Amino acid sequence: MALVGHAGAGKTTLAEALLVATGALPRAGRVEDGTTCLDSDDVEARQQRSVTLGVATVEHEGTRITLLDTPGSPDFVGELRAGLRAADAALFVVSAVGGVDASTVQLWEECAAVGMPRAVVVTQLDRARADVEETVRLCRTALGAGVYPVHLVDRAPDGTVRGVVNLLEPGAAAEDADRLRSELIEGIIGESEDEALMERYLAGDELVQGDLMSDLGTAVARGHFHPVLCAAPLQGVGLESLLYLLVHGFPSPQEHGCPPVTRPDGTPAPPLSCDPGGPLVAEVVKTTTDPYLGRVSLLRVFSGTLRPDTPVHVSGHGGADRGHPDHDADERIGAVSSPLGSALRPVAACPAGDVCAVARLTTAETGDTLSSPGDPRLVPPWDLPVPQHPVAVEAASRADEDRLGPALARLAAEDPTVRVERSRDTGQLLLWCVGEAHGEVLLERLRTRHGVAVTTVPVRVPMVETLAGPARATGRLVKQSGGHGQYAVVVVEAEPGPPGSGITFAQRVVGGAVPSNYHGSVEKGIRAQCAKGVHDDRPLVDVAFVLVDGKAHSVDSSDAAFQSAGALAVRELASAAGTRVLEPWCEVEVVVPAEHVGAVMSDLSSRRARVTGSDAAADSDRTTVRAEVPEIELLGYAGALRSVSHGTGSFSRRPLGHEPAPASLVAVPA
């Protein structure tokens, strides 16, 4: 069961209370104190919020329940998607104070698109300004059809919460209870299509909770019936009813099904079923580094049974770009453990449908598939955002520089939403993140978990230059100081080429003024100088050069001399014609709900963007805005888009080319 919802809704507090209610913990920790079981990361304790996927497996009424506590911030959507991949159902946690926000609605729609069974639990009933009835109404309005309240709040005369009224049981003495109970029963029967139960209901039989649970479970498993429950975790209100529903009303792994699989080479493989006796297929949904155990992999077993000391084949990442070739290696499983936050409890085996932790897998990373070496399989990767927020980092010392590379590799292995890149144009080491908060957490982990101190520097956007117009210049290298000298003279004409044409070279030398064996040397010198640039190390691009004349010496001319003369000619041409500084532009697609399109277009306009069009999706209220934007204006855009779209927007980019940069961005050459 994945607990999902916006930040601050109370997911971790609810999970902590459920662990206490099932006897897994003696007492509940507090998020404010950094003592909760599921927020075990040091960063989570300091920031008082979840930034990683927390996992705990408990037992209740003979049923194993794995709670997957996901972060609510959009910056950590990778952890959220991992939790949904490992889950059989999603429990949307909604605050009675904050209500349903746009990001919750967006996530609900994503789960609906893949048929994920869903339910809602309204928490923080006891908070000031809590309005449970209005929150339930908003859930029914914002989340669409199939949302039915199962609980009503029972309050004392002074307004304090003393319990919940269960509409699955007859005789509820609350306002509107009869109407809501009738709607609930009819919704269950309509979705489960149980004609026998329908006949009993129409005949006036008094149906109790036991009569309805089987059909409620069927309705929830089909993904179109969504019960709404209420809970006050700190007071223990509603927890028993919630646990009863989790055990009896939610789909088992056999009902939820398995993802499709292929062979590692992409050829089809037989479909999986959640059968402990079937072929072994498990997926790494989370990777962490423990100071004592090393790399710890959290696995969801889809088929077969994972046992200690078992050989497995590691396949990854289904074509995803992780900075190295896909994994294709054999390893051996060590101990198998059941997770309870950061605590690992050894188990004899992990059957299909369960979640477990395995330590010291040397090659397996998040998103990899573990299967039998004799019959390897590959589970396709889940959807993840492409990181769009760059952070430029430098090692604080020589010792840190030696440790920085391996530490960044471990971060990328743990988090598939991280990309590490050495910029080819600027030489900067870039850590690509989902957003600013994501970047801050990664830097903190480098310092505390991996012992590497880094400093951040401004991200540099590479500018280039081209000639401002046509010109003709002479590159002359004449050095004679006794003995063997250097002699090369070249006359070169040049003019700006079309955007994207690159550096071209031709020759129109007449009469052998420059011997043909030196033509390639001149070209080599020209290209080397263009790559180096003539001002502020900005490369020269999109110029057509023509060698038209020159002189050579029978003794003192050489390949090196004509290379130098070609480079000198480039500098003379730039001085004669002048240069224009060009900046890179990107083609951007921004996807947001229709209500935020105006704000997005206004923000893009402030970034010198050219909006080229927009398309409304036929099956949702989301709109794709297309624009051309200077790359320098995209620095920090991930956070800006999150602000103007209330966390519901996303964007992608691809290089478009170069255009003249405004004077404010051009440094005056020395």
Side-chain angles (χ1 to χ4, degrees):
M1 174 64 66
L3 277 65
V4 302
H6 62 82
K11 299 182 294 297
T12 302
T13 300
L14 175 61
E16 195 82 1
L18 291 173
L19 296 182
V20 174
T22 57
L25 293 179
R27 61 181 180 275
R30 285 168 44 88
V31 173
E32 296 80 3
D33 300 333
T35 57
T36 59
C37 172
L38 294 175
D39 281 351
S40 55
D41 192 286
D42 291 342
V43 176
E44 294 175 315
R46 282 192 293 273
Q47 296 189 2
Q48 298 182 8
R49 63 170 180 172
S50 299
V51 300
T52 62
L53 175 66
V55 184
T57 299
V58 299
E59 288 198 11
H60 185 69
E61 296 184 6
T63 298
R64 287 173 62 80
I65 303 172
T66 297
L67 300 174
L68 301 125
D69 179 28
T70 67
S73 169
D75 274 21
F76 308 104
V77 66
E79 302 283 334
L80 165 65
R81 299 283 171 81
L84 291 174
R85 183 55 166 258
D88 298 307
L91 186 64
F92 280 72
V93 181
V94 176
S95 168
V97 178
V100 182
D101 67 347
S103 60
T104 301
V105 176
Q106 178 182 345
L107 180 58
W108 182 274
E109 293 172 350
E110 289 182 17
C111 290
V114 297
M116 173 71 78
R118 286 149 287 150
V120 179
V121 59
V122 179
T123 63
Q124 302 177 349
L125 314 179
D126 53 329
R127 293 278 187 92
R129 299 182 293 107
D131 191 338
V132 180
E133 291 75 15
E134 176 63 13
T135 302
V136 172
R137 188 192 67 79
L138 285 174
C139 288
R140 303 193 74 179
T141 302
L143 303 182
V147 177
Y148 293 91
V150 174
H151 288 165
L152 301 176
V153 177
D154 179 20
R155 296 186 182 273
D158 62 357
T160 59
V161 178
R162 59 187 179 190
V164 295
V165 177
N166 188 354
L167 294 176
L168 292 171
E169 294 287 2
E175 184 180 358
D176 268 355
D178 291 339
R179 177 181 61 83
L180 293 173
R181 173 174 162 79
S182 297
E183 292 179 358
L184 174 63
I185 293 174
E186 291 169 8
I188 293 172
I189 295 174
E191 186 60 36
S192 66
E193 300 177 344
D194 188 337
E195 295 183 2
L197 189 63
M198 172 66 80
E199 291 176 0
R200 289 184 58 193
Y201 174 67
L202 294 177
D205 288 358
E206 189 169 66
L207 303 177
V208 298
Q209 181 168 265
D211 300 322
L212 297 168
M213 287 310 298
S214 175
D215 286 76
L216 186 146
T218 301
V220 171
R222 291 180 176 178
H224 300 291
F225 179 90
H226 318 294
V228 180
L229 301 95
C230 298
L234 297 178
Q235 288 72 37
V237 172
L239 298 181
E240 282 300 322
S241 182
L242 175 57
L243 285 169
Y244 182 86
L245 190 70
L246 292 181
V247 171
H248 299 283
F250 276 84
S252 68
Q254 288 82 4
E255 294 172 281
H256 184 234
C258 299
V261 291
T262 64
R263 308 291 184 191
D265 61 3
T267 58
L272 297 178
S273 62
C274 188
D275 178 9
L280 176 64
V281 176
E283 186 174 29
V284 181
V285 295
K286 178 179 171 65
T287 307
T288 57
T289 302
D290 185 273
Y292 304 105
L293 298 175
R295 183 178 293 183
V296 178
S297 304
L298 182 75
L299 308 178
R300 165 66 194 255
V301 180
F302 291 113
S303 173
T305 300
L306 189 69
R307 293 183 172 86
D309 200 33
T310 301
V312 295
H313 184 81
V314 180
S315 304
H317 306 279
D321 180 13
R322 298 289 292 274
H324 57 71
D326 281 359
H327 289 150
D328 187 18
D330 290 340
E331 292 202 49
R332 183 172 291 275
I333 295 292
V336 178
S337 304
S338 177
L340 183 66
S342 60
L344 301 178
R345 303 162 295 177
V347 294
C350 181
D354 212 342
V355 173
C356 66
V358 175
R360 298 188 177 94
L361 288 175
T362 57
T363 60
E365 299 178 0
T366 302
D368 283 350
T369 303
L370 274 59
S371 55
S372 171
D375 187 16
R377 310 287 180 94
L378 179 65
V379 179
W382 58 85
D383 290 335
L384 287 171
V386 176
Q388 298 286 2
H389 179 74
V391 178
V393 297
E394 295 178 351
S397 67
R398 178 63 62 86
D400 292 312
E401 187 172 347
D402 294 337
R403 298 193 299 267
L404 181 57
L408 290 174
R410 287 194 290 270
L411 284 182
E414 295 172 5
D415 188 345
T417 60
V418 173
R419 182 161 56 91
V420 181
E421 174 190 56
R422 175 73 70 176
S423 173
R424 182 181 59 187
D425 299 309
T426 66
Q428 287 187 307
L429 184 60
L430 299 179
L431 190 61
W432 287 87
C433 318
V434 176
E436 292 182 6
H438 188 209
E440 291 171 2
V441 168
L442 294 173
L443 295 175
E444 182 72 5
R445 284 181 182 157
L446 280 175
R447 184 181 66 83
T448 59
R449 184 182 295 178
H450 302 292
V452 180
V454 297
T455 58
T456 59
V457 295
V459 177
R460 297 199 302 270
V461 174
M463 302 289 186
V464 297
E465 289 183 306
T466 192
L467 293 184
R472 179 185 176 109
T474 300
R476 180 185 301 273
L477 180 67
V478 178
K479 290 185 178 181
Q480 290 180 317
S481 56
H484 188 71
Q486 298 182 63
Y487 188 93
V489 178
V490 296
V491 180
V492 179
E493 294 179 351
E495 62 180 3
S501 60
I503 300 299
T504 62
F505 176 83
Q507 63 85 21
R508 291 200 306 266
V509 178
V510 178
V514 177
S516 60
N517 57 306
Y518 291 133
H519 292 176
S521 303
V522 176
E523 180 181 4
K524 190 174 181 180
I526 287 175
R527 291 187 180 276
Q529 186 64 55
C530 289
K532 181 181 178 181
V534 292
H535 299 133
D536 296 334
D537 294 328
R538 292 190 288 256
L540 201 65
V541 301
D542 299 340
V543 180
F545 294 92
V546 180
L547 174 64
V548 296
D549 201 359
K551 294 181 181 179
H553 190 279
S554 59
V555 175
D556 293 340
S557 292
S558 65
D559 172 76
F562 273 97
Q563 284 190 45
S564 298
L568 288 170
V570 173
R571 295 199 289 270
E572 293 295 330
L573 286 165
S575 177
T579 59
R580 290 184 302 162
V581 178
L582 307 178
E583 62 175 332
W585 280 58
C586 294
E587 187 176 54
V588 173
E589 288 190 351
V590 185
V591 182
V592 291
E595 62 194 83
H596 300 305
V597 168
V600 167
M601 287 188 174
S602 176
D603 181 72
L604 287 172
S605 297
S606 71
R607 298 173 183 274
R608 300 189 284 128
R610 298 189 295 262
V611 177
T612 58
S614 62
D615 295 315
D619 54 351
S620 70
D621 71 336
R622 301 182 72 76
T623 298
T624 300
V625 178
R626 297 184 304 279
E628 297 172 352
V629 190
E631 185 175 325
I632 197 169
E633 299 291 348
L634 293 177
L635 298 177
Y637 184 61
L641 176 61
R642 187 160 299 140
S643 176
V644 299
S645 67
H646 302 285
T648 61
S650 63
F651 79 101
S652 61
R653 70 174 109 186
R654 69 176 185 85
L656 188 62
H658 291 83
E659 296 189 17
S664 59
L665 294 181
V666 180
V668 178

